[in-house]
Amino acid sequence: MTETALLPGPAAVAGPGDFPDWSQAASHAAARVPDTAVAAVWRALNYLCAAQLYLNDNVLPTRPLRVEDVKESPSGHWGVCPPVNWMLAHLGPLIAWRPPGSEVLVVHGAGHAGPSALAHAYLTKTLTLTGNGPGWSVADLRALAEGFPHARTYGGEITPLIPGVRYTGGQLGPALAVAQGMVLDAPHRLVVALLGDGELETGAAAAAWTARRALLGSGLHGAVLPVVLANGLRMSGPSILSGLDENELRAYFTGLGYEPFLHDGSDVAGFRTVLAEVFARLRPLGVARPQPVIVLTMPKGATGPEQVAGRQIAGTPAVHKTPLKDPAGNREEFAALAAWLASYEPAELFTDRGQPSDLVRQALPHPPPRPRPAPPVEPLTVSGEQAWPLVSAVIRERAAAGSFRLFSPDEAASNRLRLNANGGGMPEWASEILNEEICHAWLQGYTETGRDALLATYEAFAAVNTSLLVQHLKHRSTRTVTGVGRLPNINYLITSLGWRNTYTHQNPGLVSAMLETENPTVHVYTPADATRTAATLTVMLTGRDRANFLIADKHHTVTFPPDTFREEMTNGAAIWPHLSTPGPGGPDLVLASAGDVAARELSAAAGQIAAARPDARIQYVHINDLTVLGQPNTWPAALPDGAFARLFPAGVPVLLATVTQAPAVRALLAARGEAARVRVVGYRDPGRPLPSAELLELCGMSAAALTAQALSMLKEPR
């Protein structure tokens, strides 16, 4: 049988349309792929996982195992691989025979399943290990095992460098919500989310089960199939889920609004029957009916060694990583490893040339199509009479162009966003839920599948997503190495600033953390007024490969002249002539603002300084993107040395007011060697509730405090 006959070509990934009849995939797969082939794929995946952990050579094998074939210091994770492999083996035929125009994606919530993802990529001939492209060979098979954990290429855990990986679970919990975001507005797409015991103990995973109710009636979506890998153990002990009996498990998931299907992985035929029933019950995410969930109660580390030299392994935390610690140096462990590897009967699974056998290849999916690059969106042109409503108009116009979603933790109205021009309720393209992590995960899944999105939230609560964003920036940065196409921007609109809010709602720490990553895709926008905010948002919503954080006070009272508008947008900063008093010899002091609150107060201070010191030569600069202050080798948008010197002439003291915390800005300037002459004024915790005016005064951000600071600096010797 030829490979073409074994692996039917995938249907082209269609755009949104009718919800597919997924039951067809199960019936076609059952009729064309025997159970023995599915079982062979499972054995092959398990064998390759164990081989990656332990072998340097003799992977096929062609002779009895020798000590020199075994790694001296085995590393990696075994326990989660067998249940993940079970699911991948069973999904293969269903993916191969999926309905025309449909798409199936797998989300690995279990980040430790790196060996499994690598093994699957090898079997599906999508993994490049030797030569110039993917291949099946003895050399490739040896490179797969010997090179693990592939420290300089793929990594030993789930990374986007491994073909087919769309989500990196660096922070445990959001996988189910990310899967939900992937299927929004994509009825042709099915996402299978593989969720571990420990993951279900996180707040993000717990919230995601009921979060889908916030999406009811919000459009035509695809389907999410959650698969709970209920293997009984976390890293070092029993999981909470393992304490529930079968009746309690069913009651738990039924109460969450799901229809649970339990199976222990004991037989292939029985599980394929379960899958067929599950596929017949798949429904669009936004339908108000119970959705199926598979609970796979396979023991952690199944098919591995039970015990060695009287030491119990199965059912203990020893299966989490490498069950056998030193088989190269321990005779009993070496014998156990040889028996373990032989139990998979690798001669039935691979040819002597390193190719999967015909039996294995019958149940493999065709290599997935390369993701399409996200199409560019035409620049928006928005007009209006009032300042802040322009921001709402930008969002509405982008939504009208399609493939767009807004997510907000119940704050769109509070943030004065008019998402319906007529003032009605929430439009279909906007989703709210009182959970920042879920909002980010939806946004992450939506953008990961090529669509634009925006998360609008209070400044104080945005910081909840700090770790999620750090992990996602790692994912996106690594993903670019694979060359699979550009991704839409990650966009945060951060409003309701602490300068006006109550003490508990004051935390501008998210942007500080983002700047500390020194990730070159990060941009922190600090426009001076609502018109500039709308223009910046327009750019954010049509760009690619950036992580944008727009800081804007929802209470706008001042609008500044538009003369320097283009330069601020293009270069990230500009001199404001209307507030500058030039003279021969250059300025005596540079005043710089970053953000609308800072511009309001510092511009007022500029007038007071001019009245108090008419002889002083002042240069006023507004900064629209904080990253332009950074070191050019780190930040792509950073001002070149010449442009920086024009805005901030050498030797001239600078008073910089920012709506963010001051240390993050000082760090940017320090990297350029400019921190010594710049005094940065920003938010600092007052330690107690204060009225807005008093908070400004305490932080040195009020016009009066800034004036006093500037006059003091003018008296200091240069």
Side-chain angles (χ1 to χ4, degrees), residues 108-141:
H108 288 271
H112 289 157
S116 176
L118 287 162
H120 191 256
Y122 180 82
L123 289 186
T124 54
K125 206 176 183 180
T126 58
L127 191 67
T128 299
L129 293 161
T130 62
N132 298 320
W136 288 329
S137 71
V138 175
D140 284 298
L141 205 54

Side-chain angles (χ1 to χ4, degrees), residues 129-346:
L129 293 161
T130 62
N132 298 320
W136 288 329
S137 71
V138 175
D140 284 298
L141 205 54
R142 177 178 178 177
L144 174 66
E146 182 184 32
F148 187 85
H150 305 285
R152 290 182 174 83
T153 52
Y154 298 109
E157 299 188 10
I158 296 291
T159 75
L161 292 167
I162 303 172
V165 171
R166 293 294 192 92
Y167 166 74
T168 305
Q171 176 166 326
L172 202 62
L176 178 56
V178 169
Q180 293 167 347
M182 287 179 168
V183 305
L184 291 176
D185 307 322
H188 67 288
R189 182 175 296 134
L190 166 64
V191 178
V192 181
L194 306 181
L195 314 169
D197 286 45
E199 182 165 9
L200 265 62
E201 297 176 14
T202 66
W209 293 112
T210 52
R212 70 179 182 88
R213 295 179 182 274
L215 303 169
L216 300 180
S218 62
L220 185 57
H221 309 309
V224 173
L225 174 57
V227 179
V228 177
L229 309 177
N231 55 48
L233 291 170
R234 294 191 301 253
M235 185 180 299
S236 60
S239 65
I240 291 177
L241 205 66
S242 67
L244 304 181
D245 61 28
E246 181 176 328
N247 290 332
E248 290 172 321
L249 275 174
R250 292 186 184 279
Y252 173 69
F253 288 107
T254 301
L256 291 172
Y258 289 79
E259 184 180 5
F261 292 80
L262 276 64
H263 198 274
D264 60 4
S266 57
D267 67 300
V268 171
F271 191 73
R272 295 187 79 187
T273 300
V274 168
L275 268 181
E277 195 171 354
V278 166
F279 266 54
R281 282 170 162 75
L282 288 174
R283 298 290 183 269
L285 183 66
V287 172
R289 289 180 58 182
Q291 305 276 14
V293 57
I294 295 175
V295 183
L296 180 61
T297 58
M298 177 183 292
K300 190 168 187 175
T303 73
E306 291 287 326
Q307 55 178 241
V308 177
R311 177 172 66 94
Q312 183 65 26
I313 293 176
T316 75
V319 301
H320 182 72
K321 291 187 177 180
T322 48
L324 307 175
K325 300 304 180 187
D326 183 24
N330 182 291
R331 182 179 303 175
E332 289 86 356
E333 288 197 350
F334 179 82
L337 176 61
W340 178 13
L341 294 171
S343 71
Y344 298 118
E345 301 180 272

Side-chain angles (χ1 to χ4, degrees), residues 647-660:
L647 297 178
F648 308 101
V652 177
V654 180
L655 175 59
L656 193 158
T658 176
V659 291
T660 68

